[in-house]
Amino acid sequence: LTGLSGLYILDGLKKSGTLWTFEKEKAHAELAEPILKEFAQLKQKNVNVCVGDAREMLPLYSKEGPFDFVFIDGNK
């Protein structure tokens, strides 16, 4: 709930890369966002933390692509 998977993905991005992450619960996003943003700043990368169900939100964010890959880490 602190964005650990996101940290690993963010670390692997090239400089100026962007991670888009979705948290279904606002409370989880509030825990993960400061950790992810601090790490991104240190590594000169970008992160966007979005709140909501990824299944519903991904179509809304598709215009931000193309994306290299999509990783869904949650209840399947």
Side-chain angles (χ1 to χ4, degrees):
L1 302 177
T2 58
L4 183 60
S5 296
L7 285 174
Y8 286 120
I9 294 168
L10 193 56
D11 192 40
L13 292 177
K14 54 185 166 178
K15 285 195 189 220
S16 77
T18 301
L19 169 69
W20 289 82
T21 182
F22 296 84
E23 282 292 344
K24 189 173 184 179
E25 302 295 330
K26 183 179 178 184
H28 297 172
E30 289 172 349
L31 288 172
E33 187 170 25
I35 295 166
L36 290 166
K37 288 201 174 207
E38 181 178 353
F39 188 79
Q41 185 177 15
L42 288 171
K43 298 288 188 167
Q44 299 176 349
K45 299 174 185 182
N46 305 297
V47 65
N48 296 303
V49 179
C50 307
V51 180
D53 189 324
R55 293 174 294 184
E56 298 169 3
M57 297 183 69
L58 279 173
L60 303 174
Y61 285 88
S62 64
K63 67 182 180 299
E64 301 293 339
F67 299 102
D68 292 325
F69 75 96
V70 175
F71 169 71
I72 298 177
D73 182 23
N75 294 337
K76 291 11 169 223

